């Protein structure tokens, strides 16, 4: 009940609906208008698909059924607009494809949302997935805004030729017969192959374009372009394209889906019908009609039985080859793991022996260190004892010389003291004698004068 109320509230707010369409919503939600009579194609039952209402700056631009398994679109739906991709610049990504709970409900550049979306590129292709390859992101419909969710890997030459083919179809076949595109609906899709770019993005086996002019005099037309034929372009009816897509695919509903032909194909078909009906004026008899009826019934029964047998054979072959592949994978994995273990055994044995040898060397080194330590103590003591007499005897002359030097110094000190005392006494006596003599002879000047 709460979810239903929430959906009603969101539907009442333009531009607030989530871009990633949830399973509970009808079709492609607010992007249903890109399909004739708001009815999306039926029969695309691929696993891992998401419905995207591709929007930018509050405006919806087209709808896409995207395969997260192949990281490529199964189809995108457009209504003709002359300047559909003029306002955008650079490749865009859809954040909610990798994070369905993200609040980023419009396309954005990967560099701007990488930090806000953990695991960006887990379910969708990014520009770096095409690195170092011969492929480029090629839009299914180049007149639409460029998003990686509506593009597939194409070579540069094929990409350019496909854009030229689409422009020619619009100019020569679609617009002149549909009021200049006012009610022109376009479906562009791709059938993925087993080849992948960098083991991520599936390269298409072929791409296709289907047009529906939703007017009272409705018509439809389709073309197929195979990636192995750059110059080829196969023009078919929508029914023929649906048969090639298989799986009960129904691209258009209403008048466009009931065998409506393009005016050129219609005129060709009418001329062919008239040619066939002219000689048929003679009506066949009852027996002939009964025989034809029985033949058609038997033919359809045989055809149905053969189709059933072929389907059963394919299923059995898929099961058998699938099991064989699983067994082969398991066997090779086991052999690889066993070989790895067996090859590691000699390395482990050599590593053990190396560790044992290193341990033995360390033990021997420690033992020799202990022996050297033990022997070094008595050796040093004996050397000191042996050198003691040498140093003692050699010290005696030095000590004698030092004693003699001391005695001689004492003697010289005493001699200097006696000589100094005698000289001082002589100086005092001479001074006293000269003073007495001067007084005696009558000199009155002082000594200082």
């Amino acid at each position: 009940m709460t979810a239903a109320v929430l959906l009603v509230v969101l539907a009442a707010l333009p531009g607030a609906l989530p871009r990633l369409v949830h399973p509970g919503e009808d079709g492609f939600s607010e992007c249903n208008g890109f399909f004739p009579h708001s009815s999306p194609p039926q029969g695309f039952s691929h696993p891992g698909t998401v419905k995207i209402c591709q929007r930018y700056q509050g405006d919806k631009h087209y709808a896409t059924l995207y395969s997260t398994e192949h990281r490529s679109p199964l189809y995108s739906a457009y209504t003709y607009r002359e300047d559909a991709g003029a306002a955008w610049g650079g490749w865009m990504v859809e954040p909610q494809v990798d994070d369905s709970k993200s609040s980023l409900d419009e396309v954005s550049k990967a560099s701007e949302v990488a930090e806000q979306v953990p695991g960006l590129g887990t379910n969708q292709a990014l520009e770096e997935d095409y690195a170092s390859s011969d492929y480029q992101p090629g839009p299914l419909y180049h007149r639409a805004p460029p998003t990686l969710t509506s593009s597939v890997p194409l070579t540069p030459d094929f990409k350019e030729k496909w854009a030229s083919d689409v422009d020619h179809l619009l100019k020569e076949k679609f617009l002149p017969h549909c009021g200049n595109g006012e009610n022109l609906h376009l479906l562009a899709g791709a059938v993925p192959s087993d080849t992948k770019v960098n083991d991520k993005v599936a390269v298409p086996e072929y791409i296709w374009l289907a047009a529906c002019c939703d007017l009272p005099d409705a018509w439809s037309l389709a073309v197929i372009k195979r990636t192995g034929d750059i110059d080829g372009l196969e023009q078919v009816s929508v029914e023929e394209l649906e048969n090639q897509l298989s799986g009960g695919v129904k691209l258009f509903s209403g008048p466009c889906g009931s065998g409506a032909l393009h005016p050129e194909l219609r005129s060709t078909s009418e001329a062919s019908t008239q040619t066939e009906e002219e000689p048929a004026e003679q009506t066949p008899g009852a027996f002939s009609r009964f025989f034809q009826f029985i033949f058609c019934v038997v033919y359809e029964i045989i055809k149905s039985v053969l189709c059933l047998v072929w389907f059963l054979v394919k299923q059995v072959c898929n099961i058998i080859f699938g099991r064989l592949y699983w067994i082969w994978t398991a066997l090779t994995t086991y052999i690889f793991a066993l070989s790895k273990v067996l090859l590691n055994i000699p390395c482990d044995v050599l590593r053990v022996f190396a560790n044992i040898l290193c341990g033995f060397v360390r033990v021997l080194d420690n033992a020799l260190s202990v022996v050297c330590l033990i022997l070094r103590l008595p050796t040093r003591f004996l050397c000191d004892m042996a050198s003691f007499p040498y140093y003692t005897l050699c010290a005696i002359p030095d000590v004698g010389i030092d004693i003699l030097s001391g005695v001689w110094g004492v003697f010289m000190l005493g001699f200097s003291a006696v000589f100094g005392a005698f000289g001082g006494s002589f100086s005092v006596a001479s001074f006293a004698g000269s003073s007495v003599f001067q007084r005696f002879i009558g000199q009155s000047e002082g000594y200082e004068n």
Side-chain angles (χ1 to χ4, degrees), residues 7 53 87 96 103-104 133 155 168 171 181 251 267 286 301 304 337 352 357 367 399 431:
L7 288 176
C53 181
Q96 289 187 346
S103 60
L104 302 170
S133 72
T155 60
H168 176 75
K171 182 179 179 181
L251 295 178
S267 60
I301 292 174
S304 301
V352 170
L357 182 61
V399 172
F431 176 73

Side-chain angles (χ1 to χ4, degrees), residues 88-292:
W88 292 23
W91 289 105
M92 302 284 187
V93 297
E94 296 284 355
Q96 289 187 346
V97 172
D98 292 315
D99 183 7
S100 59
K101 299 179 181 179
S102 174
S103 60
L104 302 170
D105 59 354
E106 292 188 344
V107 294
S108 309
K109 291 185 178 180
S111 58
E112 297 175 354
V113 298
E115 296 183 357
Q116 304 177 51
V117 182
L120 183 66
T122 304
N123 297 322
Q124 64 180 311
L126 301 177
E127 284 190 82
E128 50 263 35
D129 294 338
Y130 292 85
S132 303
S133 72
D134 297 330
Y135 295 92
Q136 299 176 353
L140 294 175
Y141 180 57
H142 67 284
R143 289 175 174 259
T147 62
L148 289 169
T149 49
S150 63
S151 301
V152 293
L154 300 176
T155 60
D157 294 339
F158 190 96
K159 176 181 175 181
E160 182 178 354
K161 190 65 171 68
W162 173 244
S164 176
D165 291 339
V166 172
D167 284 337
H168 176 75
L169 288 169
L170 287 170
K171 182 179 179 181
E172 302 295 334
K173 293 185 179 294
F174 296 165
L175 298 180
H177 299 282
C178 195
N180 294 324
E182 294 181 1
N183 295 281
L184 182 61
H185 295 269
L186 299 172
L187 275 178
V191 176
S193 67
D194 295 332
T195 304
K196 291 188 175 182
V197 178
N198 293 328
D199 200 27
K200 291 184 178 181
V201 190
V203 176
E205 181 180 346
Y206 62 87
I207 55 180
W208 52 269
L209 177 68
C212 167
C213 182
D214 193 17
L215 291 175
D217 191 15
W219 58 262
S220 61
L221 182 66
V223 293
I224 298 173
K225 191 174 184 66
R226 304 189 182 277
T227 53
D229 185 7
I230 294 180
D231 297 322
L233 187 67
E234 185 180 354
Q235 182 174 299
V236 296
S237 66
V238 170
E239 287 183 296
E240 291 174 328
L241 175 59
E242 290 172 346
N243 292 333
Q244 292 205 33
L245 294 175
S246 70
V249 170
K250 190 70 174 176
L251 295 178
F252 297 124
S253 61
C256 289
S258 57
L261 298 176
H262 187 271
E264 295 180 2
L265 296 179
R266 188 182 302 159
S267 60
T268 304
S269 176
E270 289 175 355
S272 175
T273 303
Q274 291 176 0
T275 304
E276 293 177 357
E277 289 180 353
E278 285 178 0
E281 294 179 357
Q282 297 179 354
T283 57
F287 179 78
S288 178
R289 291 196 300 272
F290 177 75
F291 179 77
Q292 291 178 358

